[in-house]
Amino acid sequence: MNDAAPAPTPAPAPRRARVRAPELIGKGGWLNTGGKDLSLADLRGRIAILDFWTFCCINCLHVLDELRELEEKHRDTVVIIGVHSPKFVHEAEHAAVVDAVERYQVHHPVLDDPELATWKQYAVRAWPTLVVIDPEGYIVAQHAGEGHAHAIARLVEELEAEHEAKGTLRRGDGPYVAPEPVAGALRFPGKALLLPSGNLLVSDSTRHQLVELAADGESVVRRIGSGERGFAGDSFSEPQGLALLPDGKVVVADTVNHALRTYDPATGHVETVAGTGRQWWQGSPTSGPALEVDLSSPWDVAWWQGRVWIAMAGVHQLWTWDPEAGTVEVAAGTTNEGLLDGPAAEAWFAQPSGLAAAGDRLWIADSETSALRYVEAGDEGYVIKSAVGTGLFDFGHRDGDAAQALLQHPLGVTALPDGSVAVCDTYNHALRRYDPATGQVSTLATDLREPSDAVLVGEDIVVVESARHRLIRLRLPEEAVRVDAVAHRTQRAATEVAPGTLRLDIVFQAPAGQKLDTRYGPSTRLLVSSTPPELLAGGEGAGTDLFRELALNPDVAEGVLHVSAMAASCDDDPANEYPACHVHQQDWGVPVRVTADGAARLPLVLAGMDAEG
């Protein structure tokens, strides 16, 4: 006799819109697979998560970190596939993708898609975008931007249960094959600093350490940090910027820990001085006690006007840390991504990644707009101005008058003794120079593999040649190198839209078991603008609805729509007094071209599936 209670009837599987997933194709081939090409058939029986990313994009790097826990917890059922979809010309080079996969410790297969073939097949519109494919090969969800890991984790658990019951789930080892480790003193170093001793301190980013080198720039004096990702003790996580403080300590931008640390060369002591280890999200405090306020991917630091200025790449802003008061605050930028000059509080940046103090100016390498910009004090506060660069989608290697000169994703800037500025023009593999006195841009050196920072040492300039894993010493040339001019625009095809009124829809479906969080007012936000501003005759500005009627100017044939959307959702359980809440957000820069037979609706998926698509 069996006294066991009867097994409960399993709940019916949730109904989902399903679309057959297109094949994975990319001219660059596959990485991290041991030389094997993968197809969707190879993934059948597994839950596949496609991560459309490009290595210049800070939001993409955030998502790589968000996915690490999911990747480990569900390694026998989930296969994450990185689909590398380049924005910049340099990112279409296969060797650069290989470097990026190692640099950012991507531990899953990556498809190198330099021509955006798979991007187009999946109708992707933004970096980063995540697409979930079920074990039978159907797309079941799409998410753009950051903050979706919890929703995808819940969906993965639902899919595991559903397909285990159907017999369509296949467990086991995935197709990832780790590459062989490479020896060397440095591995993708980020920034460097000349110490008072004459030695050089380098952030050895991929190895999560600082390295002190002798004056020759090669001999290792000591390593600082455990060498493993971490936030406790002297551990770091992909550290970048370094700046010397008046008391002799070094402040470190501990980028992936979203924190500032100090290192004392005299004692070897490492201390956290700003940040909580958590990433800043919209709605979080933007000022206050330094150890209580979240930061977001600080990439560089500089001592200027009695404070440490922070290139807060993760939110497209500049912040400051006041060591005396022990506080942090936003100094410039709105979190909108783009190039807009003016009063500091109204300016737009795009992933500021390099800082250099020079008298009454603070120079900025604004990487995603391929721009050189600066802060200076005005009569009514700080003002942001641009010296070189025009916006998110124009880049190249062109010298001459600054108004028409082009850079390509610069990461470093160095003030020179004559008042000019050296720019580490990272994706052009060059060291460039801007002279404010003449308004001219020139090239000082070429054939530098992804230079990311430079420091003056006597009459020489020492360049961090990141992708060659070394420092290289150059004599500052008196004459510039002649380079044939090259101009580029992003490979992304413009979206054709019809003249007149364009319906903008942000597609957002709260994750299962959650609802929009309206306890403190509207839980959604939508901000729309354009480049040029004249593209929109109406519909720009901020609002709380996730849709907008945009009036297109009939006199402007093409441009870029800048769209920023945010939605907050919380656990839908009335009995839970403190539900877990999550913020979903994404910024889109959508190139558009107005044509007679273009679309009258522009859907942008934040989370879910477009029912009208």
Side-chain angles (χ1 to χ4, degrees):
M1 180 178 178
N2 185 353
D3 293 328
T9 302
R15 295 181 61 85
R16 298 188 189 90
R18 299 203 309 172
V19 177
R20 177 66 71 179
E23 190 53 82
L24 305 176
I25 52 176
K27 191 174 181 180
W30 289 87
L31 288 75
N32 285 353
T33 61
K36 179 182 177 181
D37 290 345
L38 297 181
S39 67
L40 285 176
D42 297 317
L43 306 178
R44 191 61 59 88
R46 311 294 291 274
I47 300 163
I49 300 173
L50 306 186
D51 176 14
F52 289 86
W53 70 298
T54 188
F55 63 78
C56 72
C57 163
I58 191 67
N59 311 93
C60 300
L61 304 186
H62 288 167
V63 167
L64 284 176
D65 291 321
E66 287 180 5
L67 292 176
R68 293 187 198 278
E69 182 179 347
L70 176 75
E71 194 168 23
E72 180 61 30
K73 183 177 179 180
H74 298 275
R75 61 187 313 144
D76 65 331
T77 59
V78 170
V79 177
I80 296 176
I81 302 289
V83 183
H84 189 269
S85 312
K87 170 186 173 181
F88 289 99
V89 169
H90 168 59
E91 292 173 310
E93 298 174 14
H94 184 70
V97 181
V98 173
D99 284 345
V101 167
E102 181 189 351
R103 181 194 295 268
Y104 298 116
Q105 299 178 314
V106 180
H107 294 161
H108 50 249
V110 173
L111 174 63
D112 179 11
D113 182 18
E115 297 177 346
L116 303 181
T118 295
W119 165 288
K120 294 170 186 172
Q121 287 292 311
Y122 281 80
V124 174
R125 294 185 187 273
W127 297 278
T129 291
L130 299 169
V131 176
V132 182
I133 301 173
D134 73 12
E136 295 178 286
Y138 289 91
I139 298 172
V140 293
Q142 181 172 328
H143 301 263
E146 305 176 47
H148 302 293
H150 69 286
I152 292 176
R154 178 171 293 197
L155 176 58
V156 163
E157 291 172 356
E158 291 177 0
L159 291 171
E160 285 176 341
E162 176 184 341
H163 289 273
E164 191 96 77
K166 290 175 67 176
T168 50
L169 185 72
R170 177 168 56 90
R171 295 180 181 269
D173 292 334
Y176 170 67
V177 178
E180 291 294 322
V182 181
L186 301 172
R187 203 71 190 161
F188 298 105
K191 305 288 186 181
L193 174 69
L194 180 64
L195 295 171
S197 65
N199 288 350
L200 292 154
L201 188 66
V202 184
S203 54
D204 197 17
S205 302
T206 298
R207 292 198 176 128
H208 315 296
Q209 290 181 314
L210 310 180
V211 179
E212 184 177 341
L213 300 175
D216 62 9
E218 297 179 6
S219 306
V220 175
V221 175
R222 64 177 59 84
R223 293 183 175 274
I224 301 97
S226 66
E228 299 292 332
R229 287 181 185 271
F231 194 36
D234 65 352
S235 294
F236 298 95
S237 189
E238 297 183 31
Q240 286 284 343
L242 307 166
L244 193 64
L245 299 176
D247 64 4
K249 293 180 182 178
V250 176
V251 62
V252 182
D254 195 3
T255 304
V256 177
N257 278 328
H258 308 294
L260 298 188
R261 321 286 290 282
T262 56
Y263 162 63
D264 189 341
T267 65
H269 181 64
V270 174
E271 180 181 1
T272 302
V273 294
T276 63
R278 298 184 301 271
Q279 183 184 340
W280 186 93
W281 289 99
Q282 291 286 352
S284 300
T286 56
S287 64
L291 292 170
E292 299 175 14
V293 177
D294 299 339
L295 308 181
S296 182
S297 298
W299 206 275
D300 203 6
V301 283
W303 178 259
W304 188 58
Q305 297 199 345
R307 291 178 290 170
V308 171
W309 287 68
I310 309 164
M312 202 72 77
V315 285
H316 318 299
Q317 290 180 314
L318 303 182
W319 288 43
T320 60
W321 167 54
D322 185 337
E324 291 293 324
T327 57
V328 293
E329 64 180 354
V330 174
T334 65
T335 76
N336 295 326
E337 184 179 12
L339 191 153
L340 181 66
D341 292 337
E346 301 171 12
W348 292 18
F349 298 94
Q351 225 167 288
S353 301
L355 300 174
D360 59 357
R361 285 185 179 177
L362 179 70
W363 293 96
I364 308 156
D366 200 28
S367 62
E368 278 294 287
T369 52
S370 298
L372 173 65
R373 307 175 73 187
Y374 59 92
V375 188
E376 64 181 9
D379 294 337
E380 298 181 4
Y382 291 113
V383 177
I384 310 302
K385 298 181 180 179
S386 295
V388 182
T390 58
L392 286 166
F393 298 109
D394 291 287
F395 50 89
H397 192 144
R398 182 194 287 151
D399 290 328
D401 185 74
Q404 54 85 53
L406 295 172
L407 309 170
Q408 187 179 180
H409 199 78
L411 290 179
V413 59
T414 307
L416 299 180
D418 64 359
S420 65
V421 184
V423 179
C424 286
D425 193 6
T426 308
Y427 287 3
N428 279 328
H429 311 300
L431 188 67
R432 311 284 292 283
R433 176 178 179 263
Y434 167 68
D435 185 353
T438 63
Q440 295 294 301
V441 175
S442 57
T443 298
L444 298 176
T446 58
D447 193 31
L448 301 168
R449 190 71 183 170
E450 292 192 15
S452 55
D453 197 21
V455 292
L456 289 173
V457 180
E459 296 183 355
D460 296 339
I461 189 165
V462 174
V463 179
V464 179
E465 204 174 359
S466 189
R468 285 198 178 114
H469 321 292
R470 68 180 185 179
L471 305 187
I472 183 169
R473 186 183 296 259
L474 305 173
R475 179 56 56 93
L476 275 173
E478 295 182 5
E479 294 186 6
V481 177
R482 181 170 178 80
V483 175
D484 291 333
V486 179
H488 300 292
R489 281 184 64 82
T490 180
Q491 291 189 63
R492 284 182 60 186
T495 298
E496 295 191 348
V497 296
T501 300
L502 176 65
R503 165 84 178 200
L504 172 66
D505 281 325
I506 305 301
V507 178
F508 177 76
Q509 296 157 6
Q514 294 193 358
K515 64 178 181 179
L516 288 174
D517 176 20
T518 56
R519 292 172 298 164
Y520 308 109
S523 60
T524 56
R525 187 189 73 161
L526 178 61
L527 179 68
V528 180
S529 63
S530 66
T531 302
E534 297 77 22
L535 174 65
L536 288 179
E540 69 276 14
T544 57
D545 293 325
L546 291 182
F547 61 88
R548 188 79 57 85
E549 298 285 341
L550 305 180
L552 299 175
N553 185 342
D555 298 327
V556 180
E558 61 181 351
V560 178
L561 290 175
H562 302 284
V563 180
S564 177
M566 184 273 288
S569 62
C570 293
D571 291 344
D572 188 9
D573 181 359
N576 186 354
E577 186 177 357
Y578 302 104
C581 297
H582 305 274
V583 175
H584 318 258
Q585 65 182 52
Q586 172 63 3
D587 295 335
W588 290 267
V590 184
V592 296
R593 182 180 301 113
V594 180
T595 60
D597 55 354
R601 175 176 178 264
L602 176 62
L604 299 176
V605 176
L606 180 60
M609 299 283 283
D610 180 20
E612 298 182 39

